[in-house]
Amino acid sequence: MEQLLESLVRGLGTGSVYALLALAFVIIYKATTVISFAQPAFMLTGAVITSYVTPAIGVLAITGLSFFVSVTIAAILTAGVALVVERLAIRPMVGKAVFTVAIITIGIDIAVRVVVNGFIGLGARPIGFPWGLDRVELLGLDVQIRHLVMMGTVAVVVAALFWFFQRTRWGLAMRAAAFDQEAAMTQGVSVGGVFALSWGMAGALAAIAGSLLATGAGVDRQLWLVALVALPAIILGGLDSLEGAVVGGLAVGVVESLVGTYQRDFAPWLGDNFAVVSPYVLMLVVLLAKPYGIFGTAEVRRV
């Protein structure tokens, strides 16, 4: 039982980061009906910025404060990069085929990652996370501190997001534009502003996710691959559902962790790395049973 609970905590920790990435995908999709494949690049950008900023402000003596301040700065700067990308490469494509815009985001992803890789170097860059892989005993369980930080950070971010969408003028504008862009424009909503805000928010979320993921082994050039796990998460939860993104991310993380813990004992014939592909197996199963995800709507168009 102890092993099971510790595996669940690991899964919820990693799944919390997947949830952030999935939210980034969903926010852009709801605003623009485009799947942005540039999110891995923004995730890597945020992690690299954090790795540079944390040592620069290392004078902050309070444990963890430098890291969290660095993550906040990285989120703001990455949001700025995303806004520039949206204004220069995406805004001119408004009205064009969704497939074309999605392909453009792939090109943006590759271009941004090439530039960012130059700041990483050949090895992994330390992220400045003060606890590293340290563990702590919690309710009799041996858990990594970074997994607790992941869950706590994501809980705060998700609560802030839902407050934003429910209580603020721009949040309501984004919801209106996601429901019907033409009707929103007749009510004075700036759809262009909604597009830009969605890209900025997605960039910030990806930066936070990348920084949290790098708390394990640091930032390397392969970190962006983790963002692809968010795709099964959004398929599971529903491509147009914020709640589904959170549930899907957590579910994928838990499944991946449980498979990694027990697969060698119960199904060794699947090999040593089946946990890596387990999120995609889960995605296929969900697609067969519920093609639009658990919380998705049937009207969703796929790219």
Side-chain angles (χ1 to χ4, degrees):
M1 178 58 73
E2 183 176 323
Q3 185 184 41
L4 173 63
L5 294 176
E6 289 176 354
S7 180
L8 286 174
V9 173
R10 284 196 300 273
L12 290 173
T14 308
S16 297
V17 181
Y18 295 159
L20 275 182
L21 291 167
L23 280 170
F25 278 100
V26 170
I27 286 174
I28 288 183
Y29 182 84
K30 284 177 71 70
T32 66
T33 66
V34 172
I35 297 178
S36 170
F37 293 102
Q39 294 312 114
F42 295 141
M43 186 189 78
L44 190 62
T45 301
V48 170
I49 292 175
T50 299
S51 72
Y52 276 94
V53 174
T54 304
I57 60 173
V59 294
L60 300 177
I62 301 175
T63 301
L65 184 58
S66 296
F67 174 75
F68 290 112
V69 171
S70 301
V71 172
T72 303
I73 294 173
I76 294 172
L77 293 178
T78 307
V81 173
L83 286 172
V84 171
V85 168
E86 188 276 337
R87 191 67 183 88
L88 296 180
I90 303 300
R91 189 76 65 87
M93 301 302 295
V94 171
K96 306 297 183 183
V98 172
F99 176 78
T100 303
V101 182
I103 293 298
I104 289 176
T105 65
I106 294 177
I108 293 170
D109 174 67
I110 296 173
V112 173
R113 280 194 289 110
V114 167
V115 174
V116 173
N117 282 341
F119 293 91
I120 296 177
L122 297 179
R125 285 186 56 82
I127 197 72
F129 187 65
W131 298 284
L133 298 176
D134 291 349
R135 296 174 176 273
V136 65
E137 184 175 335
L138 179 66
L139 302 176
L141 302 177
D142 182 28
V143 299
Q144 289 188 8
I145 296 176
R146 70 191 190 102
H147 288 144
L148 300 178
V149 172
M150 288 175 178
M151 287 186 280
T153 303
V154 171
V156 171
V157 170
V158 169
L161 279 178
F162 280 91
W163 174 83
F164 172 79
F165 284 116
Q166 296 291 335
R167 300 292 184 181
T168 68
R169 177 174 174 270
W170 272 104
L172 295 174
M174 292 183 72
R175 292 173 60 193
F179 183 74
D180 190 324
Q181 290 184 4
E182 292 184 358
M185 291 177 66
T186 61
Q187 297 299 316
V189 173
S190 171
V191 175
V194 168
F195 286 3
L197 185 57
S198 66
W199 272 76
M201 292 176 66
L205 291 172
I208 297 171
S211 300
L212 293 176
L213 282 171
T215 55
V219 188
D220 60 34
R221 298 188 176 194
Q222 305 304 316
L223 182 68
W224 67 276
L225 291 171
V226 181
L228 300 181
V229 184
L231 294 177
I234 59 177
I235 296 300
L236 175 63
L239 190 53
D240 61 340
S241 171
L242 296 174
E243 297 87 350
V246 177
V247 174
L250 294 176
V252 166
V254 168
V255 168
E256 187 180 38
S257 179
L258 290 177
V259 172
T261 302
Y262 293 105
Q263 176 257 316
R264 292 179 184 175
D265 297 330
F266 294 98
W269 47 273
L270 288 174
D272 295 331
N273 297 314
F274 188 74
V276 177
V277 300
S278 60
Y280 304 98
V281 175
L282 176 64
M283 179 183 69
L284 292 176
V285 172
V286 172
L287 281 175
L288 291 173
K290 293 183 72 67
Y292 301 101
I294 298 175
F295 297 93
T297 55
E299 292 79 11
V300 175
R301 292 178 299 171
R302 301 189 184 282
V303 177

Short mmCIF file of all heavy atoms in Angstrom, two decimals, residues 54-86:
data_model
loop_
_atom_site.label_atom_id
_atom_site.label_comp_id
_atom_site.label_asym_id
_atom_site.label_seq_id
_atom_site.Cartn_x
_atom_site.Cartn_y
_atom_site.Cartn_z
N THR A 54 17.88 32.59 -11.96
CA THR A 54 18.00 32.16 -10.57
C THR A 54 19.38 32.46 -9.98
O THR A 54 19.46 33.04 -8.88
CB THR A 54 17.70 30.65 -10.44
OG1 THR A 54 16.40 30.39 -10.96
CG2 THR A 54 17.74 30.22 -8.98
N PRO A 55 20.48 32.13 -10.65
CA PRO A 55 21.79 32.49 -10.07
C PRO A 55 21.99 34.00 -9.98
O PRO A 55 22.65 34.50 -9.06
CB PRO A 55 22.79 31.86 -11.04
CG PRO A 55 22.03 30.83 -11.79
CD PRO A 55 20.65 31.34 -11.89
N ALA A 56 21.40 34.74 -10.92
CA ALA A 56 21.59 36.19 -10.94
C ALA A 56 20.94 36.87 -9.74
O ALA A 56 21.39 37.93 -9.30
CB ALA A 56 21.02 36.76 -12.23
N ILE A 57 19.87 36.28 -9.21
CA ILE A 57 19.20 36.88 -8.05
C ILE A 57 19.40 36.00 -6.82
O ILE A 57 18.61 36.02 -5.89
CB ILE A 57 17.70 37.08 -8.31
CG1 ILE A 57 17.02 35.74 -8.61
CG2 ILE A 57 17.47 38.05 -9.44
CD1 ILE A 57 15.51 35.87 -8.70
N GLY A 58 20.47 35.26 -6.82
CA GLY A 58 20.73 34.33 -5.73
C GLY A 58 20.95 34.99 -4.40
O GLY A 58 21.08 34.32 -3.38
N VAL A 59 20.96 36.33 -4.36
CA VAL A 59 21.15 37.02 -3.09
C VAL A 59 19.94 36.88 -2.17
O VAL A 59 20.01 37.18 -0.99
CB VAL A 59 21.43 38.52 -3.32
CG1 VAL A 59 22.76 38.70 -4.03
CG2 VAL A 59 20.32 39.15 -4.14
N LEU A 60 18.81 36.44 -2.75
CA LEU A 60 17.61 36.25 -1.92
C LEU A 60 17.82 35.00 -1.07
O LEU A 60 17.84 33.89 -1.57
CB LEU A 60 16.38 36.10 -2.81
CG LEU A 60 16.08 37.30 -3.71
CD1 LEU A 60 14.88 37.02 -4.59
CD2 LEU A 60 15.83 38.54 -2.87
N ALA A 61 18.00 35.19 0.21
CA ALA A 61 18.45 34.11 1.07
C ALA A 61 17.34 33.12 1.44
O ALA A 61 17.63 32.00 1.84
CB ALA A 61 19.05 34.69 2.35
N ILE A 62 16.10 33.54 1.36
CA ILE A 62 15.02 32.66 1.77
C ILE A 62 14.95 31.45 0.85
O ILE A 62 14.93 31.60 -0.38
CB ILE A 62 13.67 33.41 1.76
CG1 ILE A 62 13.74 34.61 2.70
CG2 ILE A 62 12.54 32.48 2.17
CD1 ILE A 62 12.50 35.47 2.66
N THR A 63 14.93 30.28 1.43
CA THR A 63 14.95 29.06 0.64
C THR A 63 13.81 29.02 -0.37
O THR A 63 12.65 29.15 -0.01
CB THR A 63 14.84 27.84 1.57
OG1 THR A 63 15.91 27.87 2.50
CG2 THR A 63 14.89 26.55 0.76
N GLY A 64 14.16 28.84 -1.60
CA GLY A 64 13.15 28.70 -2.65
C GLY A 64 12.69 30.00 -3.25
O GLY A 64 12.12 29.99 -4.34
N LEU A 65 12.92 31.13 -2.57
CA LEU A 65 12.38 32.40 -3.07
C LEU A 65 13.00 32.78 -4.41
O LEU A 65 12.32 33.24 -5.32
CB LEU A 65 12.59 33.51 -2.04
CG LEU A 65 11.99 34.87 -2.40
CD1 LEU A 65 10.49 34.75 -2.64
CD2 LEU A 65 12.28 35.90 -1.31
N SER A 66 14.31 32.59 -4.51
CA SER A 66 14.98 32.94 -5.77
C SER A 66 14.41 32.14 -6.93
O SER A 66 14.20 32.67 -8.02
CB SER A 66 16.49 32.66 -5.66
OG SER A 66 17.07 33.47 -4.69
N PHE A 67 14.14 30.86 -6.69
CA PHE A 67 13.61 30.01 -7.76
C PHE A 67 12.22 30.50 -8.18
O PHE A 67 11.96 30.65 -9.39
CB PHE A 67 13.53 28.56 -7.28
CG PHE A 67 12.85 27.64 -8.25
CD1 PHE A 67 13.50 27.23 -9.40
CD2 PHE A 67 11.55 27.20 -8.03
CE1 PHE A 67 12.88 26.39 -10.31
CE2 PHE A 67 10.92 26.36 -8.93
CZ PHE A 67 11.59 25.96 -10.07
N PHE A 68 11.37 30.76 -7.23
CA PHE A 68 10.00 31.15 -7.59
C PHE A 68 9.96 32.54 -8.23
O PHE A 68 9.15 32.79 -9.13
CB PHE A 68 9.10 31.09 -6.36
CG PHE A 68 8.84 29.69 -5.89
CD1 PHE A 68 9.35 29.24 -4.68
CD2 PHE A 68 8.12 28.80 -6.67
CE1 PHE A 68 9.13 27.94 -4.26
CE2 PHE A 68 7.90 27.50 -6.26
CZ PHE A 68 8.41 27.07 -5.05
N VAL A 69 10.82 33.45 -7.76
CA VAL A 69 10.91 34.76 -8.42
C VAL A 69 11.40 34.58 -9.85
O VAL A 69 10.90 35.22 -10.79
CB VAL A 69 11.83 35.70 -7.63
CG1 VAL A 69 12.10 36.98 -8.41
CG2 VAL A 69 11.23 36.03 -6.27
N SER A 70 12.38 33.68 -10.03
CA SER A 70 12.92 33.43 -11.38
C SER A 70 11.84 32.84 -12.30
O SER A 70 11.75 33.22 -13.47
CB SER A 70 14.10 32.47 -11.29
OG SER A 70 15.11 32.98 -10.48
N VAL A 71 11.05 31.93 -11.76
CA VAL A 71 9.99 31.33 -12.57
C VAL A 71 8.97 32.40 -12.98
O VAL A 71 8.50 32.41 -14.13
CB VAL A 71 9.29 30.19 -11.80
CG1 VAL A 71 8.06 29.70 -12.55
CG2 VAL A 71 10.25 29.04 -11.56
N THR A 72 8.67 33.31 -12.07
CA THR A 72 7.72 34.39 -12.39
C THR A 72 8.28 35.28 -13.51
O THR A 72 7.57 35.63 -14.45
CB THR A 72 7.44 35.24 -11.14
OG1 THR A 72 6.94 34.40 -10.10
CG2 THR A 72 6.43 36.32 -11.44
N ILE A 73 9.56 35.63 -13.38
CA ILE A 73 10.20 36.46 -14.42
C ILE A 73 10.21 35.71 -15.76
O ILE A 73 9.93 36.27 -16.82
CB ILE A 73 11.63 36.84 -13.99
CG1 ILE A 73 11.58 37.76 -12.78
CG2 ILE A 73 12.39 37.50 -15.14
CD1 ILE A 73 12.93 38.07 -12.18
N ALA A 74 10.54 34.40 -15.69
CA ALA A 74 10.58 33.60 -16.92
C ALA A 74 9.20 33.53 -17.56
O ALA A 74 9.08 33.58 -18.80
CB ALA A 74 11.09 32.19 -16.60
N ALA A 75 8.16 33.41 -16.74
CA ALA A 75 6.80 33.34 -17.28
C ALA A 75 6.44 34.64 -17.99
O ALA A 75 5.85 34.63 -19.09
CB ALA A 75 5.81 33.05 -16.16
N ILE A 76 6.83 35.77 -17.39
CA ILE A 76 6.52 37.07 -18.01
C ILE A 76 7.28 37.25 -19.32
O ILE A 76 6.71 37.67 -20.34
CB ILE A 76 6.87 38.21 -17.02
CG1 ILE A 76 5.95 38.14 -15.80
CG2 ILE A 76 6.74 39.57 -17.70
CD1 ILE A 76 6.34 39.09 -14.68
N LEU A 77 8.58 36.91 -19.30
CA LEU A 77 9.38 37.07 -20.51
C LEU A 77 8.92 36.13 -21.63
O LEU A 77 8.86 36.52 -22.80
CB LEU A 77 10.86 36.83 -20.19
CG LEU A 77 11.53 37.86 -19.27
CD1 LEU A 77 12.98 37.47 -18.99
CD2 LEU A 77 11.46 39.25 -19.88
N THR A 78 8.60 34.89 -21.25
CA THR A 78 8.13 33.94 -22.27
C THR A 78 6.78 34.36 -22.83
O THR A 78 6.52 34.19 -24.02
CB THR A 78 8.04 32.52 -21.66
OG1 THR A 78 9.29 32.18 -21.07
CG2 THR A 78 7.71 31.51 -22.74
N ALA A 79 5.94 34.92 -21.97
CA ALA A 79 4.66 35.45 -22.46
C ALA A 79 4.92 36.56 -23.48
O ALA A 79 4.22 36.65 -24.50
CB ALA A 79 3.83 35.98 -21.29
N GLY A 80 5.95 37.37 -23.22
CA GLY A 80 6.30 38.41 -24.18
C GLY A 80 6.75 37.84 -25.52
O GLY A 80 6.37 38.35 -26.58
N VAL A 81 7.55 36.78 -25.45
CA VAL A 81 7.99 36.12 -26.69
C VAL A 81 6.78 35.58 -27.45
O VAL A 81 6.67 35.72 -28.69
CB VAL A 81 8.99 34.99 -26.37
CG1 VAL A 81 9.31 34.19 -27.64
CG2 VAL A 81 10.25 35.55 -25.76
N ALA A 82 5.87 34.96 -26.72
CA ALA A 82 4.67 34.39 -27.35
C ALA A 82 3.82 35.48 -27.99
O ALA A 82 3.25 35.29 -29.08
CB ALA A 82 3.87 33.61 -26.32
N LEU A 83 3.73 36.64 -27.33
CA LEU A 83 2.95 37.75 -27.89
C LEU A 83 3.57 38.24 -29.19
O LEU A 83 2.86 38.54 -30.16
CB LEU A 83 2.89 38.89 -26.86
CG LEU A 83 1.96 38.68 -25.67
CD1 LEU A 83 2.14 39.80 -24.65
CD2 LEU A 83 0.50 38.62 -26.13
N VAL A 84 4.90 38.33 -29.21
CA VAL A 84 5.58 38.77 -30.44
C VAL A 84 5.33 37.77 -31.57
O VAL A 84 5.04 38.14 -32.71
CB VAL A 84 7.09 38.93 -30.17
CG1 VAL A 84 7.84 39.17 -31.49
CG2 VAL A 84 7.35 40.07 -29.20
N VAL A 85 5.45 36.48 -31.24
CA VAL A 85 5.22 35.43 -32.25
C VAL A 85 3.79 35.51 -32.77
O VAL A 85 3.55 35.43 -33.99
CB VAL A 85 5.49 34.04 -31.64
CG1 VAL A 85 4.98 32.95 -32.57
CG2 VAL A 85 6.99 33.86 -31.39
N GLU A 86 2.84 35.70 -31.86
CA GLU A 86 1.44 35.78 -32.29
C GLU A 86 1.20 36.97 -33.21
O GLU A 86 0.52 36.85 -34.23
CB GLU A 86 0.55 35.89 -31.05
CG GLU A 86 -0.95 35.80 -31.34
CD GLU A 86 -1.59 37.09 -31.76
OE1 GLU A 86 -1.02 38.17 -31.43
OE2 GLU A 86 -2.62 37.06 -32.44
#
